[in-house]
Amino acid sequence: MSTPSVTELSLLKVLWKQQPLSAREIHEGAADELGWSFSSTRKTLERMLEKHMLSQQSLHGMLVYRAELDKVATLAAFARDFGRRVMELDSPLPVNMFSGSKLVDQDELAELEQLLQDWPGDAKE
């Protein structure tokens, strides 16, 4: 799985809440967080298409985008990276740190916890 940059993650979060969306709708959804021009959003969407993070289709004569990266798996990868690289933890972050998130529901929290516990490549003792 390609790990998105922080700005790519901002666009993915817009799509995970509602999709498909046009480039303009994605731009407007991320405007407060990113504060950049529409052309920057378009360029980032193009790069994300090249990386297979998104798919594009024509719907009623308008190009729309869908996220191809799984939300929970992507969030787990970010959480794992933060725990290991930033916090220097050898064990997974506790899933309760994600409670109250507007991005994940209870079922996704359970899936996230499982992914963090069973991270590929972790040595089981």
Side-chain angles (χ1 to χ4, degrees):
M1 170 178 83
S2 292
T3 303
S5 68
V6 173
T7 53
E8 291 168 340
L9 181 63
S10 296
L11 300 183
L12 284 167
K13 288 186 330 185
V14 172
L15 284 166
W16 287 331
K17 290 177 184 172
Q18 178 186 351
Q19 53 185 332
L21 293 173
S22 69
R24 178 64 64 188
E25 291 168 321
I26 295 167
H27 175 75
E28 289 171 3
D32 290 342
E33 190 171 337
L34 296 175
W36 62 13
S37 69
F38 179 63
S39 63
S40 295
T41 299
R42 297 276 310 188
K43 186 65 179 170
T44 302
L45 291 171
E46 289 172 20
R47 283 195 313 266
M48 291 173 75
L49 279 168
E50 292 169 5
K51 295 177 183 179
H52 305 287
M53 294 178 177
L54 303 177
S55 61
Q56 182 186 63
Q57 70 184 74
S58 180
L59 183 65
H60 305 295
M62 178 183 290
L63 288 177
V64 293
Y65 298 86
R66 287 187 177 278
E68 290 297 320
L69 294 182
D70 179 73
K71 174 173 61 171
V72 176
T74 302
L75 296 176
F78 267 91
R80 188 62 171 194
D81 179 62
F82 177 79
R84 293 246 175 173
R85 194 171 46 82
V86 177
M87 298 305 295
E88 298 182 5
L89 297 171
D90 291 328
S91 60
L93 292 168
V95 77
N96 64 358
M97 75 177 271
F98 300 98
S99 63
S101 170
K102 297 174 189 168
L103 192 57
V104 292
D105 61 27
Q106 287 301 111
D107 291 336
E108 291 168 330
L109 272 177
E111 184 182 350
L112 181 59
E113 181 174 32
Q114 192 64 51
L115 280 172
L116 290 172
Q117 293 296 325
D118 298 335
W119 196 258
D122 277 356
K124 302 286 183 197
E125 306 203 30

